[in-house]
Amino acid sequence: VQEFGAARQVANQATFTLTAATVPGTATVTASTGGYSGTATVIFTAGTPASVALSVSPASIASSGTAQVNATVADAKGNPVSGVTVNFSVPTNNSGGTLGTTSAITGTNGVASTSYTAGSISGSVTDTLQAAIATSGVAAGTAGVTVTNPVSTISLIASSPQLQSSASTAANGVTLTAV
């Protein structure tokens, strides 16, 4: 919603103050008098970057798996800011993973994207990803991704290789252990 300030007239000229809303958009202003009219279009754009939010999907991946990484840049009112260069990094890289690209530019939705491929590990570790912009005073966005090495084989050990067909109680059965 746009607000019009006080109008004043000086020597056949009227002056208005048009105040922007908190969201980007377009306003058409029309003035008319004595059968004549004029129109002007004003485009309201997002302000300067004020925040960077980083998301990783999925937040948990298998060893050597890949996740989508999105950095969303917004102005002080939460509006997406386009055309901003975002630099991606992995400050805590326990798995030895790699980024698809280390720099991307935000689109009209304020999002810059890359991918992250985890390294090959045993066990489970957490890698920390970061997205930063060159504008001073804007905190970098961070997100963690858990990297796990899922079970790739199961061994089954039988306490006895044979079982009598008449064994109908647990005491006469075979114990199976999975490792």
Side-chain angles (χ1 to χ4, degrees):
V1 173
Q2 290 77 31
E3 297 176 12
F4 290 94
R8 63 185 173 98
Q9 184 176 0
V10 177
N12 297 325
Q13 177 180 343
T15 303
F16 292 86
T17 301
L18 178 63
T19 305
T22 58
V23 296
T26 304
T28 302
V29 179
T30 303
S32 60
T33 184
Y36 297 100
S37 67
T39 302
T41 300
V42 179
I43 299 172
F44 300 103
T45 60
T48 58
S51 66
V52 179
L54 190 64
S55 64
V56 180
S57 181
S60 181
I61 57 177
S63 178
S64 302
T66 300
Q68 178 69 30
V69 181
N70 293 323
T72 303
V73 178
D75 68 9
K77 300 290 185 182
N79 299 307
V81 182
S82 64
V84 177
T85 299
V86 176
N87 299 312
F88 295 96
S89 62
V90 188
T92 306
N93 195 352
N94 294 311
S95 77
T98 58
L99 291 165
T101 183
T102 57
S103 181
I105 298 174
T106 58
T108 57
N109 60 355
V111 176
S113 299
T114 189
S115 61
Y116 177 72
T117 302
S120 179
I121 55 123
S122 61
S124 177
V125 297
T126 298
D127 291 341
T128 302
L129 308 179
Q130 187 173 64
I133 58 176
T135 306
S136 68
V138 177
T142 60
V145 60
T146 302
V147 181
T148 59
N149 188 357
V151 174
S152 59
T153 61
I154 295 178
S155 296
L156 197 55
I157 302 170
S159 61
S160 171
Q162 296 181 353
L163 178 63
Q164 294 179 358
S165 61
S166 62
S168 60
T169 65
N172 294 333
V174 173
T175 302
L176 302 173
T177 305
V179 288

